[in-house]
């Protein structure tokens, strides 16, 4: 049971390195993997700010690293990319792999309160355990300068984690986020199973509900959404979040991108803009 991260792969890219690690997570009660992209370092003592990327349903820590092309901009701008997995794995809970939108690969970045799913605590893993692990084991990372982004379920995770922890993250962005999960089938399925039937508990993990609690948000929220995304009108509901931002007077830039779908082709097209958005906040 090794609490320290062990390197399991390394690959050079844009003069930096994608490095994948495995460790035992006491929070989740299982072994977990995560991947870091380390940009090329200008000096041995240099510390990089970090950008956490939260992936979507069915993904692992590898999808973003292999498909987004984010390393080009991260290398140029000197930002480390941190990609965790999307759920606990290997626990063999009954029903954990029955459907693709719940259980394994579908942690929804919350802390489950229902006994059966007690290990599904991806919120605590991302917000508490992983940053501590990084700061204790990678001296080249400056985890006090952190931003967060993600796609779909991970966009939901990025928005909610940011809004609940404004002191921990300098900025947030999202691609096609599940913006109002209490009002969409994916969210209702996940929340009822993980959190029970109390809808007020659900609202604690809904970006559209959370943004209404903030009237002092200064940093602009960047969201890209493809208008050819099959999930746009029944699952993602970015217009609900935009309306809530207007009500809360929260600065949001929702960019509807003509012809783009829900895939990594869409993410790869606009990822440089997102990294630039975060660089401005991380290096004031």
């Amino acid at each position: 049971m090794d609490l320290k991260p062990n390197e399991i792969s390394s690959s050079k890219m844009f003069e930096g390195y994608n490095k994948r690690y495995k460790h035992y997570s006491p929070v989740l009660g299982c072994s977990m993997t995560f991947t870091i992209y380390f940009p090329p370092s200008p000096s041995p003592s240099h510390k990089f700010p970090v950008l956490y990327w939260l992936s979507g349903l069915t993904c692992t820590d590898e999808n973003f690293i292999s498909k987004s092309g984010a390393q080009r901009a991260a290398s140029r701008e000197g930002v480390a990319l941190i990609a965790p997995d999307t759920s606990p794995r290997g626990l063999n809970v009954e029903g954990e792999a029955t459907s693709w939108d719940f259980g394994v690969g579908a942690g929804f970045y919350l802390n489950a309160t229902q006994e059966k799913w007690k290990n599904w605590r991806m919120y605590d893993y991302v917000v508490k355990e992983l940053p501590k692990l990084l700061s204790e084991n990678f001296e080249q990372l400056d985890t006090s300068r952190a931003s967060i982004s993600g796609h779909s379920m991970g966009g939901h995770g990025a928005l909610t984690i940011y809004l609940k922890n404004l002191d921990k993250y300098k900025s947030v962005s999202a691609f096609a986020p599940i913006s109002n999960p209490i009002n969409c089938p994916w969210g209702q399925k996940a929340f009822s199973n993980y959190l029970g039937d109390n809808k007020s508990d659900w609202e604690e993990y809904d970006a559209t509900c959370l943004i209404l609690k903030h009237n002092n948000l200064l940093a602009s929220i960047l969201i890209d959404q493809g208008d050819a995304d099959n999930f746009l009108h029944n699952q993602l509901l970015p217009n609900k979040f935009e309306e809530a931002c207007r009500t809360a007077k929260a600065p949001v830039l929702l960019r509807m991108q003509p012809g783009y779908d829900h895939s990594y082709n869409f993410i790869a097209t606009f990822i440089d803009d997102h990294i630039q958005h975060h660089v401005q906040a991380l290096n004031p």
Side-chain angles (χ1 to χ4, degrees):
M1 199 183 292
D2 201 340
L3 300 180
K4 279 189 171 295
N6 289 313
E7 185 180 313
I8 54 177
S9 70
S10 178
S11 177
K12 190 171 185 178
M13 190 174 185
F14 296 114
E15 300 306 314
Y17 284 89
N18 298 313
K19 290 182 178 286
R20 195 173 191 220
Y21 298 90
K22 187 172 187 175
H23 73 109
Y24 179 80
S25 163
V27 166
L28 302 176
C30 64
S31 289
M32 293 293 286
T33 54
F34 62 89
T35 303
I36 304 176
Y37 175 70
F38 293 99
S41 183
S43 71
S45 61
H46 185 78
K47 285 181 173 287
F48 297 107
V50 301
L51 174 59
Y52 294 95
W53 174 270
L54 306 183
S55 290
L57 292 164
T58 76
C59 289
T60 69
D61 56 300
E62 295 185 289
N63 297 69
F64 176 72
I65 295 296
S66 63
K67 293 182 177 181
S68 72
Q71 294 92 333
R72 184 192 300 271
S75 172
R76 183 180 67 241
E77 300 294 346
V79 177
L81 305 174
I82 316 291
D85 203 347
T86 54
S87 78
R89 294 183 189 266
L91 292 167
N92 299 317
V93 176
E94 183 193 356
E96 69 174 20
T98 304
S99 54
W100 63 272
D101 57 359
F102 180 77
V104 170
F108 273 84
Y109 305 102
L110 48 70
N111 289 336
T113 55
Q114 302 305 289
E115 179 64 22
K116 181 177 180 179
W117 304 103
K118 63 186 178 186
N119 293 80
W120 267 250
R121 300 181 62 82
M122 288 301 293
Y123 177 89
D124 275 357
Y125 179 75
V126 169
V127 175
K128 298 174 183 177
E129 185 176 23
L130 186 57
K132 187 169 184 286
L133 189 79
L134 296 175
S135 67
E136 290 175 353
N137 291 279
F138 301 98
E139 58 187 21
Q140 64 271 59
L141 301 180
D142 180 3
T143 54
S144 70
R145 286 189 295 152
S147 290
I148 192 163
S149 185
H151 171 233
S152 196
M153 176 185 74
H156 141 77
L159 290 172
T160 54
I161 284 172
Y162 174 77
L163 291 172
K164 289 160 79 78
N165 299 275
L166 293 173
D167 58 324
K168 288 186 168 70
Y169 304 96
K170 307 294 186 189
S171 54
V172 65
S173 72
F175 288 84
I178 303 172
S179 302
N180 189 199
I182 66 171
N183 286 317
C184 80
W186 281 340
Q188 290 163 352
K189 178 178 180 177
F191 289 5
S192 60
N193 281 283
Y194 290 138
L195 302 172
D197 296 326
N198 186 344
K199 299 287 175 68
S200 64
D201 293 339
W202 298 13
E203 292 176 1
E204 285 300 306
Y205 296 104
D206 185 302
T208 297
C209 298
L210 290 172
I211 197 76
L212 293 170
K213 298 181 179 180
H214 295 283
N215 53 13
N216 58 346
L217 214 58
L218 299 176
S220 183
I221 297 169
L222 173 62
I223 297 176
D224 274 317
Q225 171 65 60
D227 74 358
D229 188 324
N230 290 336
F231 303 116
L232 173 57
H233 298 297
N234 66 328
Q235 299 280 16
L236 305 176
L237 312 177
N239 57 310
K240 298 283 191 188
F241 182 70
E242 188 179 34
E243 286 168 20
C245 285
R246 273 202 296 269
T247 301
K249 295 184 169 55
V252 63
L253 177 58
L254 172 59
R255 308 193 304 186
M256 297 301 297
Q257 303 291 2
Y260 285 93
D261 60 17
H262 199 67
S263 73
Y264 265 91
N265 298 327
F266 158 58
I267 296 169
T269 303
F270 299 104
I271 191 66
D272 283 23
D273 289 353
H274 285 244
I275 288 178
Q276 202 59 50
H277 168 78
H278 295 297
V279 164
Q280 289 171 358
L282 291 166
N283 298 322

